[in-house]
Amino acid sequence: MPAVTVSDLTVLPRVPSPSPAATSRPVRSITSAPGGVEGEGFPVKRAFAGVDLRDLDPFIHMDEMGEVEYAPGEPKGTPWHPHRGFETVTYIIDGIFDHQDSFGGGGTITNGDTQWMTAGSGILHIEAPPEHLVASGGLFHGFQLWVNLPRVDKLKPPAYQDLRSSEVGLLTSADGGALLRVIAGEVGGVTGPGSTHTPMAMVHATVAPGGEVVLPWRSDFNALVYVMSGDGFVGPDQSPIGTGQLAVLGAGDTLRLSSARTQQERYAAGLEVLVLGGRPIREPVAWAGPFVMNNRAELVQAFEDYQSGRLGQPVPHGDVGGATS
C-alpha cells in the first residue's frame, strides 16, 4: 500500500503510554461489509451496512472502493451527482482520481492524498479516473466517508481541502510495530491536516504481524475500526476481526488493536485498518440519496433546488488535474 510509507519507524514519535486509570473500549459489535457497485460500475464494500446510525454519529456512510486491478479500458468513476448537508472525505490509498464540480473547482488526488469536500448548501460533483489510467488500467483502492454536518453548518458555502500525503501526521506505536497516519484530528500528540466542522479523528494504521497499538482516544468520541486487509484482534478481550469487518467500540479512554502472527503470504504486511471517531451531533437525520438533512421538508427543498439548477450545472470535462480548489 503506497499511501505513505516510512522505512524506519524508530525515527517517528511514539504513542504515549496510557494512564494506569485509563479504560480500554470494549467491542459492542462486529459486522461484515457486503459488496456493492457504485457510480458507473466500480466495486465497493459498504463498511457501515447494518450498523445503527446512532452508533455511527457523526458519520453517515462509508464505502471501501476496490481494491481492484483494472484492465485497460476498465477504470470507472461517477457521473455528475449532487450533495448537500454533509462532507465527503475521499482518501486514495492506491491509484488516481480526478474531481470536478459545478462551480469550476477540481483537482487530482493520488497515493495517500485526501480530497475533503464540504458540500454544505449544495454542489454538483464528478469523480473519475484520468484518461491515461483508463487507457492503461491499474490498481485502484480508496475510501469515501460521509461526515454529517450539524444543523448550523448544513447550508454553509461549499469548500474543499486538498490534503496531500506529505502533510499527513505520522507516529508509531509504543512497540514500534505500527505506522499510524493521522489524516484528521489529534491522536497521541500528533495532529492531522484535515480541518473539521465536526470534531473527529481519522487514522490509517498498518500494524506488523504480532504488533499491538493502544491509542489514546477522546472519551467524548465514538470509536470505529474497519479492517481493509489482514487478521487481528480488537478490544480488551481481543475479539477476532478480519478483512472487510467493522468493529463498533463502547465507552473508554483507549482503543486497542493488534495484528495476528501469521505465516500466510497474503497477510505478510500485517493488519491494515481505518480508525474513526467523532463527537456525536445528536440531531435528527433525514437522509435520502445524496442529501443529508434534519427533516423531510429540508430534503424536499434539496431535491427541488437540485432539479431547478440552484446547485449548479455540469461543466464540460477538462484537465481537472491542473486545477485546485
Side-chain angles (χ1 to χ4, degrees):
M1 291 194 177
V4 176
T5 57
V6 176
S7 59
D8 183 3
L9 295 180
T10 64
V11 304
L12 298 178
R14 300 202 177 206
V15 175
S17 299
S19 161
T23 58
S24 182
R25 290 174 174 257
V27 174
R28 293 184 54 195
S29 67
I30 294 179
T31 53
S32 296
V37 175
E38 189 54 80
E40 295 172 334
F42 58 86
V44 298
K45 292 179 183 175
R46 308 291 192 191
F48 292 167
V51 181
D52 194 303
L53 278 177
R54 290 171 294 185
D55 291 331
L56 300 173
D57 188 10
F59 310 114
I60 297 291
H61 171 79
M62 186 168 76
D63 278 342
E64 180 181 10
M65 304 179 292
E67 181 176 9
V68 58
E69 181 76 43
Y70 284 119
E74 286 187 343
K76 301 175 178 67
T78 69
W80 284 97
H81 57 282
H83 290 306
R84 172 180 279 183
F86 64 102
E87 300 182 287
T88 64
V89 181
T90 306
Y91 174 50
I92 299 299
I93 296 171
D94 202 326
I96 308 173
F97 236 25
D98 287 343
H99 61 94
Q100 192 172 15
D101 68 39
S102 51
F103 297 100
T108 297
I109 49 176
T110 185
N111 305 341
D113 295 338
T114 300
Q115 181 249 321
W116 199 299
M117 185 181 77
T118 302
S121 60
I123 197 168
L124 295 190
H125 194 231
I126 188 171
E127 297 153 308
E131 292 181 6
H132 69 83
L133 183 63
V134 175
S136 66
L139 190 62
F140 182 77
H141 189 200
F143 285 86
Q144 186 168 99
L145 171 71
W146 292 12
V147 185
N148 199 9
L149 286 169
R151 187 189 306 269
V152 296
D153 291 329
K154 282 195 176 294
L155 297 182
K156 290 179 71 72
Y160 283 113
Q161 300 172 68
D162 284 322
L163 311 177
R164 299 304 168 187
S165 60
S166 59
E167 303 173 294
V168 170
L170 301 176
L171 71 163
T172 187
S173 54
D175 65 4
L179 173 60
L180 307 172
R181 308 162 184 88
V182 184
I183 298 164
E186 185 274 327
V187 177
V190 173
T191 301
S195 176
T196 69
H197 290 87
T198 303
M200 59 165 285
M202 179 177 178
V203 179
H204 172 191
T206 302
V207 188
E212 181 180 69
V213 178
V214 180
L215 285 180
W217 208 251
R218 280 180 47 167
S219 59
D220 60 336
F221 280 12
N222 63 355
L224 309 169
V225 175
Y226 177 79
V227 178
M228 58 186 95
S229 68
D231 285 314
F233 307 94
V234 62
D237 297 327
Q238 295 288 274
S239 301
I241 191 169
T243 302
Q245 292 190 310
L246 176 82
V248 175
L249 306 184
D253 307 301
T254 64
L255 184 156
R256 182 173 185 170
L257 60 99
S258 59
S259 178
R261 293 184 181 276
T262 177
Q263 301 302 314
Q264 295 183 44
E265 184 177 349
R266 177 183 176 189
Y267 300 133
L271 189 68
E272 293 281 349
V273 301
L274 204 62
V275 183
L276 301 167
R279 189 171 68 198
I281 297 173
R282 295 193 177 95
E283 292 178 353
V285 174
W287 173 17
F291 305 126
V292 181
M293 306 303 294
N294 291 116
N295 57 56
R296 185 178 183 279
E298 291 170 347
L299 282 179
V300 171
Q301 185 65 56
F303 278 103
E304 289 179 354
D305 288 346
Y306 166 54
Q307 291 164 356
S308 66
R310 286 192 285 270
L311 303 189
Q313 298 291 335
V315 297
H317 181 73
D319 180 16
V320 303
T324 58
S325 176

